[in-house]
Amino acid sequence: MLMRQCGGHVVRRLMRRSYSQASSSGVPYKTLQDGQAGEPSTVPSAADVVIIGGGSLGCNTLYHLTKLGITNAVLLEKDQLTAGTTWHTAGLVWNLRPTDTEVEMLKYAVKLMSDLEAETDISTGWIQNGGLFIANNKERLNEYKRLSTVGRVYGITSHVLSPEETKKLYPLMNVEDVYGTLYSPADGTIDPAGICTALSRAATKAGAQVITKAQVTGISTKDDDFGVRRVTGVQTSNGFIKTNCVVNCAGAWAPKLGAMAGVKVPLIAMHHAYVVTERIEGIQNMPNVRDHDASVYLKLQGDALSVGGYEPHPIFCDEVKDDFAFSLYDLDWDVFSVHIEGAVNRVPAIGETGVKSTVCGPESFTADHKPLMGESPEVRGFFLGCGFNSSGMMMGPGCGRELAKWIVNGRPDLDLFGYDISFPKHHDVIETECMTCRSAGAVFDMSYFGKFYLTGPDSQKAVDWIFSNDIRKPPGSTVYTCMLNKAGGVEGDLTVSVVEPGSGSACDPSFEGAGYYIAAGGAAGQHTWSHLSTVVQDQGFDCQITNHSEDMCMISVQGLRSRDILQPLCDVDLSNENFPFSTHKLVNIGKIKLRAMRVSFVGEMGWELHVPNEGAVGVYQAVMEQAKKYGVCNAGYRAIDSLSIEKGYRHWHADLRADDSPLEAGLAFTCKLKSDIPFLGREAIEKQKKEGLKKRIACFTIDEHVPLLGLEAIWRNGDIVGHVRRGEFAFFVGKSMAYGYVQHPEGGTVTPAFLKSGEYELESMGTRYKATLHSKSPFDPSNLRVKGMYDALKAPL
C-alpha cells in the first residue's frame, strides 16, 4: 500500500509541471537547439554517400565513413544536429547485452568516448558511474550470470551481488524483493550533444559535410539495364545531390523517407518518456539501475535521478510532423504512472522527492526490438540505419561503424543477427519428442523455410559463383552448400536441388534451360533472398529468382519408420537404391503432386515433403494416419535444436554466422577448392587455408546435467579461449552439448593438434565444469542413420 501512496504522491508532484511541444527545458543537459555556426547552407552537386538524419546514427555513420576514406560524404539534417530523438535521450550505456555482437559493439562505444576526446578536444560527456541490473527472480539472475560470463570473454568486469552486497553499494535501494544483481563498473552515460558535436567536427575536418536546415523532399531512383531499381539522387530544399548511396538515419521520420524511394521501413513511433527528480540526498555517485522485470530504469543525474522505462500500453504517434524539432509532447500520467510504483519500490526516497522536469518525445520501435540496418531489398543503394528502440545512443558507435563498413566493403565485419534472453526449456516434452524421433520417428512442420527457384540463361553461372559447393550435378541431385561473402564468411547454409522444367505448379515450375530449387532454413529466408538478389544484380547474371516461400509448405518426416509411413502413400519407390540420400523426386500422395527430398536436419533417415499450400492439409493428415501405426509423434523446433546439435549440424546465425568461414566452422567439404570453378569468397578461403585458422569450431560435452544456453565461456588450460555459440541437452547421448569457437590465447593459429592437446572447462552461471572435446559428433559419426543403414548399427536402437 505504501508503494501506491508514494506513487500517487510523485504523480501529483509531476502533474504540477509538464512540458508540451516546442519546449526543451525538460532535458537535463545542454542541447544544440541554437544551432552550429559555420555550417554550409548549400548542397554539393554530387556526393559518394548522402546520410539523412543528424542524430546518433547519422553522425556515427558519417564519422566512420571518413575513417574508411569516404570523405565525399554529406549529412543532411532538416533542422539542427540531434533535433529529432537524439537530443532528449537518456544516454544510458550498458556494457552487457544478450549477444556477443552487442557486447563487442558496446565495448567499442566506450573506447570511442576517450578516442574522440583525444581526437577533437571536445568532451563527449562520458560519465562512468557503473550500472546495476536488478533480478527479482532466479531466472533473471541466471540470465545476468550468462551476461557476466560472456563479458569476461571480452574483458568486461562485472560482479554478481547478493541483496546485502547490493545494499552496501547502493544504500538508498530497497532490496527486500531482490534476488540478486549484476554490477558492471564500466557502464555510464553519454551526453548526446557532446558526442554528436565531436563526431561531426571530426568528420568535417576529414572533408565530409554536415548541412543543417536542409529538408529532404524527394529521393530519385531509376531502373538499370537489368531492371534493378537503384538510387540516383536526393532532392532537398537547398538543391539536388546526385548520389548512388543514401543512408536513412531519420529515426521516427524514417518511414516517410523510405516511401520517397519506394522502400518499406517497418517501424513505428511511440511516445517515450522519463522524469527528472529534484535533489535526492545520498544519491550522488550511485550507479545507474535497470530493473527489467519492473521495466524501469534509474539514471544518475548529478544529485538527482532520471526515471523512465517501457510502458505496457504506450501512446502511438499517428504522425511526427516535419517541423517537430527539439520538441516534446505533454506527458500522459495515466500511461507513465506504471513506472512510478516500480521506481518508488526500488528507491523509496523517490516517493518523497519532487520533480524538476518531464521529458516525453518520439522514439521509433520495431516488431522484434532490433534495429533496421543494411541495404534495402527493394532499392539498391538505399541503406537503413534506424529503428533503434531507444538504444540508438549506446549502439550508435558500433552500428555506425558496421554500417559504414557495409557501405564501403559490401558487408559488416560483425554478425548482426542476434537473439535475446534464453530461458530453460520444457525438458520433459522435448525429451519425449527427441527420443521418439530416434527410436521410431517424428513429423516436423518446417514450412517457415525459405523456398526459391533460380532459373534463366545464366542460372548455371549464377549457382557456380554464389554457392561454395559444386552444383554441377545431374537433375535429381540435392547439394548441401554455403553462400559466402567476399571475406569468406558464411551468409547462409542451405540445400540446392537441380530440377528440370515442369508443369507450372509451385513445386514443379516451368522454365527454359537449367533450374535450381533452393531451400533455406529458419529465420534466414529473407536474408537468403536478399543475398541471392544482390549477387545476381552485382554480377549482371541473366537469371530470375522466384520466391515460393508463402505458397508452399514443408512437412518433414524423419526416423527409422519414415519409409514405412511414406511408402504406402507415394507412387515412387523409396528404397535406398532408388531414392538415396541427397536426392529428390516429384511424387504424388493421392491427388497432390509434391517434391520429396531425401535430406535430414536431425540425423535420421527421412524425407522433406515440399507441398503446394492447397494440398498441405490433406498430405499432413495422410502422413499422420500412417504415423499412428508406428508410434511416431509430432515434434517442434526445440526438438530440432537438440537433435541437430547432437548430430553436429550447424545452425546459421548461431554456431555458423557471416563472420565465420566454412574452414573455421568445420564445413570445408562444402567448398569446391579442388575444382577450378571460381566462386564468391574463394580467394579469402584459399588465403585462410594457406595462413592457418585463427579460430576453429569445437564440440564439447559435460557430464553434469547443466543447461547450456549459449554465451558460456570456454576455458583451455586455465585461459579463456572463446565462448559457446549454441548449447543444448543431447537426450540420446545423455549429456549437455555445446559448440563454440576456440581461439589461441596468444593469437596464434588453431590447429586440430592444438585443440586436442588442451584440457577444457565450460563456465555456466559462474561455475566451471570439466568438458570433453569431440573431434566428431558423438552421435552416429559414420552417418549410418541418414543413409538408412539402421541394421549396420552396433548399438541397439
Side-chain angles (χ1 to χ4, degrees):
M1 194 64 182
L2 175 63
M3 289 192 297
R4 293 188 180 276
Q5 291 173 346
C6 291
H9 177 68
V10 174
V11 169
R12 288 193 294 273
R13 287 176 176 266
L14 288 170
M15 292 179 66
R16 297 174 189 166
R17 189 169 188 180
S18 62
Y19 296 88
S20 59
Q21 288 193 17
S23 169
S24 64
S25 56
V27 175
Y29 36 68
K30 69 176 182 177
T31 74
L32 299 178
Q33 186 169 2
D34 295 332
Q36 299 86 27
E39 305 288 359
S41 58
T42 59
V43 299
S45 60
D48 293 331
V49 181
V50 174
I51 300 170
I52 304 172
S56 172
L57 262 296
C59 291
N60 271 292
T61 304
L62 184 72
Y63 171 83
H64 287 96
L65 280 172
T66 63
K67 293 301 180 183
L68 295 176
I70 306 299
T71 57
N72 184 24
V74 177
L75 184 150
L76 302 175
E77 167 55 49
K78 61 183 177 58
D79 194 88
Q80 301 289 352
L81 293 184
T82 76
T85 296
T86 296
W87 75 282
H88 60 72
T89 181
L92 289 160
V93 176
W94 313 101
N95 275 271
L96 299 175
R97 297 278 283 188
T99 72
D100 59 325
T101 298
E102 290 176 290
V103 170
E104 187 168 336
M105 287 198 290
L106 287 169
K107 183 179 180 181
Y108 170 73
V110 173
K111 178 180 181 297
L112 183 63
M113 300 304 106
S114 58
D115 290 350
L116 269 177
E117 292 199 18
E119 181 180 357
T120 64
D121 290 326
I122 297 173
S123 172
T124 61
W126 170 244
I127 300 174
Q128 185 175 321
N129 60 309
L132 265 176
F133 283 175
I134 307 298
N136 298 305
N137 51 66
K138 180 180 180 180
E139 291 76 17
R140 185 66 74 178
L141 186 61
N142 283 343
E143 176 66 12
Y144 293 160
K145 288 178 179 178
R146 292 178 64 237
L147 300 188
S148 178
T149 298
V150 75
R152 187 152 47 251
V153 174
Y154 285 92
I156 298 170
T157 300
S158 63
H159 309 278
V160 177
L161 306 180
S162 68
E164 295 75 21
E165 292 170 326
T166 303
K167 185 72 173 180
K168 290 180 181 179
L169 177 66
Y170 202 120
L172 294 183
M173 181 177 292
N174 167 36
V175 299
E176 292 182 0
D177 60 344
V178 171
Y179 197 89
T181 61
L182 178 63
Y183 174 52
S184 173
D187 293 354
T189 59
I190 303 174
D191 169 37
I195 188 172
C196 287
T197 298
L199 290 166
S200 60
R201 293 281 178 86
T204 53
K205 185 177 180 180
Q209 294 187 60
V210 174
I211 304 176
T212 57
K213 297 294 182 181
Q215 178 78 43
V216 173
T217 58
I219 297 174
S220 300
T221 62
K222 184 180 180 181
D223 288 352
D224 63 15
D225 294 340
F226 296 95
V228 178
R229 184 157 293 272
R230 298 181 181 274
V231 168
T232 58
V234 177
Q235 184 65 52
T236 78
S237 56
N238 303 18
F240 183 80
I241 306 174
K242 183 179 179 181
T243 186
N244 294 322
C245 183
V246 168
V247 190
N248 184 353
C249 297
W253 293 265
K256 180 176 292 186
L257 269 296
M260 292 180 184
V263 173
K264 295 180 181 178
V265 181
L267 62 80
I268 190 168
M270 304 179 190
H271 289 204
H272 195 54
Y274 61 88
V275 300
V276 184
T277 72
E278 294 174 349
R279 187 178 188 275
I280 300 177
E281 183 61 38
I283 205 70
Q284 297 82 1
N285 301 317
M286 291 296 101
N288 303 316
V289 175
R290 185 77 168 90
D291 190 331
H292 288 93
D293 293 308
S295 192
V296 67
Y297 68 78
L298 307 173
K299 171 200 169 188
L300 184 68
Q301 198 67 54
D303 58 2
L305 287 176
S306 292
V307 180
Y310 295 91
E311 299 85 4
H313 303 290
I315 298 174
F316 295 92
C317 302
D318 294 331
E319 179 187 15
V320 185
K321 296 182 179 179
D322 289 343
D323 61 354
F324 193 94
F326 294 107
S327 302
L328 298 173
Y329 301 111
D330 289 330
L331 190 65
D332 188 311
W333 298 105
D334 290 334
V335 174
F336 185 80
S337 63
V338 68
H339 301 311
I340 302 302
E341 290 186 9
V344 173
N345 174 59
R346 192 54 56 223
V347 179
I350 294 174
E352 302 301 326
T353 305
V355 170
K356 289 190 292 189
S357 57
T358 69
V359 178
C360 181
E363 178 60 80
S364 55
F365 291 85
T366 59
D368 62 356
H369 211 68
K370 295 294 182 182
L372 304 172
M373 285 186 64
E375 191 172 25
S376 75
E378 299 100 327
V379 179
R380 298 299 306 275
F382 190 92
F383 286 80
L384 300 176
C386 50
F388 277 81
N389 308 280
S390 79
S391 64
M393 207 64 236
M394 65 177 173
M395 299 305 298
C399 287
R401 179 189 65 177
E402 296 306 301
L403 189 54
K405 292 177 181 178
W406 211 326
I407 294 166
V408 176
N409 302 328
R411 59 173 296 274
D413 284 350
L414 297 180
D415 174 77
L416 298 180
F417 279 73
Y419 49 91
D420 281 321
I421 181 170
S422 297
F423 290 102
K425 297 135 191 167
H426 298 289
H427 187 279
D428 293 342
V429 174
I430 302 169
E431 180 179 13
T432 297
E433 293 176 354
C434 290
M435 297 306 287
T436 302
C437 182
R438 292 284 186 239
S439 62
V443 179
F444 302 88
D445 177 10
M446 303 179 75
S447 300
Y448 50 83
F449 269 47
K451 311 169 195 75
F452 317 104
Y453 286 98
L454 193 155
T455 59
D458 287 346
S459 59
Q460 180 68 62
K461 293 181 181 178
V463 298
D464 281 347
W465 179 250
I466 294 171
F467 301 117
S468 61
N469 212 337
D470 189 356
I471 314 297
R472 295 184 181 182
K473 307 291 184 181
S477 301
T478 295
V479 180
Y480 172 69
T481 183
C482 293
M483 303 186 302
L484 309 184
N485 52 47
K486 185 177 180 180
V490 180
E491 294 290 342
D493 69 324
L494 36 75
T495 59
V496 180
S497 298
V498 185
V499 298
E500 295 180 295
S503 60
S505 68
C507 69
D508 187 29
S510 60
F511 55 88
E512 295 183 0
Y516 304 89
Y517 177 53
I518 301 162
Q526 179 61 55
H527 179 79
T528 299
W529 168 266
S530 298
H531 183 76
L532 291 170
S533 300
T534 298
V535 176
V536 165
Q537 293 166 8
D538 288 347
Q539 296 298 312
F541 292 131
D542 184 6
C543 58
Q544 298 78 45
I545 306 168
T546 54
N547 190 345
H548 287 272
S549 301
E550 298 300 322
D551 56 19
M552 291 177 66
C553 293
M554 199 239 280
I555 302 167
S556 183
V557 185
Q558 300 288 324
L560 171 67
R561 297 298 187 181
S562 57
R563 182 181 287 123
D564 297 327
I565 293 169
L566 293 175
Q567 187 62 84
L569 303 176
C570 298
D571 62 348
V572 301
D573 178 9
L574 301 183
S575 66
N576 285 335
E577 295 74 20
N578 186 63
F579 208 143
F581 183 69
S582 289
T583 63
H584 65 91
K585 293 180 184 292
L586 289 171
V587 305
N588 291 287
I589 293 182
K591 296 181 179 180
I592 305 301
K593 178 188 286 188
L594 56 91
R595 189 176 300 278
M597 297 172 57
R598 175 82 186 276
V599 293
S600 176
F601 195 55
V602 299
E604 300 289 337
M605 177 178 70
W607 283 262
E608 292 177 355
L609 310 180
H610 297 247
V611 192
N613 284 353
E614 59 271 18
V617 173
V619 170
Y620 172 73
Q621 290 175 339
V623 167
M624 292 311 298
E625 187 66 26
Q626 289 290 322
K628 288 190 298 185
K629 301 177 182 179
Y630 304 101
V632 170
C633 69
N634 285 302
Y637 201 85
R638 288 297 193 186
I640 292 178
D641 285 344
S642 176
L643 294 164
S644 63
I645 200 171
E646 195 168 54
K647 186 65 182 75
Y649 292 153
R650 310 290 186 253
H651 264 316
W652 188 80
H653 89 270
D655 41 14
L656 180 64
R657 308 191 311 200
D659 50 356
D660 307 317
S661 78
L663 304 185
E664 296 166 337
L667 299 177
F669 68 92
T670 67
C671 297
K672 51 195 173 211
L673 295 178
K674 293 182 179 180
S675 76
D676 58 358
I677 304 173
F679 61 90
L680 180 58
R682 177 166 186 153
E683 292 182 1
I685 295 298
E686 290 177 330
K687 180 181 178 182
Q688 188 179 66
K689 184 177 181 180
K690 180 180 179 181
E691 296 178 351
L693 304 183
K694 296 297 184 180
K695 65 178 182 181
R696 193 182 290 266
I697 201 167
C699 173
F700 300 98
T701 58
I702 58 176
D703 292 334
E704 291 88 345
H705 190 173
V706 176
L708 299 177
L709 305 175
L711 302 184
E712 293 83 3
I714 302 172
W715 292 79
R716 178 187 180 275
N717 298 347
D719 294 318
I720 293 180
V721 293
H723 67 272
V724 170
R725 288 281 191 84
R726 185 162 71 103
E728 303 285 344
F729 191 79
F731 292 97
F732 193 83
V733 172
K735 296 181 180 181
S736 293
M737 184 175 289
Y739 277 85
Y741 287 82
V742 171
Q743 296 176 303
H744 197 291
E746 298 177 359
T749 59
V750 179
T751 64
F754 173 84
L755 285 179
K756 294 176 182 178
S757 63
E759 296 290 331
Y760 293 92
E761 296 172 297
L762 300 184
E763 180 183 336
S764 176
M765 311 296 182
T767 302
R768 287 155 64 172
Y769 300 91
K770 181 176 176 57
T772 301
L773 174 77
H774 299 272
S775 58
K776 292 184 178 181
S777 167
F779 173 77
D780 190 22
S782 299
N783 289 324
L784 297 177
R785 288 173 174 257
V786 295
K787 298 174 183 177
M789 300 169 65
Y790 287 90
D791 292 339
L793 292 170
K794 295 180 180 180
L797 292 176

